[in-house]
Amino acid sequence: QVQLVESGGGSVQAGGSLRLSCAASGIVYSFNCMAWFRQAPGKEREGVASICTSGGNTYYAGSVKGRFTISQDNAKKTVYLQMNSLKPEDTAMYYCAANTGVRLGTHPLAGAAYDFWGQGTQVTVSS
């Protein structure tokens, strides 16, 4: 089975930083894309950032561009999200996601593009 486990969440004040990690195990193949999503209470799941094998392309939601950076290890089985200049509106449960191949007709920040999901890690930003 595929397992994705997130870590690094916590509570910080506005302007602070956190680094989230997602480690994959039980995987025979390499991923095409790995991504971070978030969901706040009462709101829909939102794609935050994605990194894909082809050209090492990265994608960011407009609300986090310039503040967050996604990266991965050489084996491409661990993905990180460095979050700087955090704002209260960044408060959410953050989920790691991955897929095994390109899905035509999907965007790298669309939930439908991904096959595997972690359990989430909570990020809370106070004002």
Side-chain angles (χ1 to χ4, degrees):
Q1 74 279 10
V2 174
Q3 298 280 337
L4 300 176
V5 181
E6 303 96 335
S7 62
S11 298
V12 298
Q13 292 187 336
S17 298
L18 285 172
R19 191 191 193 204
L20 306 183
S21 299
C22 172
S25 63
I27 300 170
V28 179
Y29 43 81
S30 60
F31 295 122
N32 180 54
C33 299
M34 299 187 76
W36 289 96
F37 289 76
R38 66 186 181 186
Q39 188 167 26
K43 295 186 177 181
E44 293 186 346
R45 181 179 57 195
E46 174 190 23
V48 176
S50 178
I51 184 165
C52 298
T53 298
S54 299
N57 292 334
T58 57
Y59 307 86
Y60 295 95
S63 59
V64 307
K65 196 170 186 178
R67 300 188 296 121
F68 292 10
T69 303
I70 190 169
S71 61
Q72 62 190 154
D73 67 354
N74 291 335
K76 299 182 180 179
K77 292 186 177 181
T78 304
V79 66
Y80 307 94
L81 186 67
Q82 178 66 47
M83 305 185 294
N84 298 326
S85 302
L86 283 162
K87 304 175 180 180
E89 51 263 44
D90 295 318
T91 296
M93 184 73 73
Y94 282 71
Y95 298 92
C96 177
N99 63 30
T100 58
V102 176
R103 291 190 170 185
L104 296 177
T106 62
H107 190 275
L109 292 179
Y114 295 91
D115 304 305
F116 310 110
W117 296 83
Q119 294 298 305
T121 185
Q122 179 68 38
V123 171
T124 302
V125 184
S126 60
S127 60

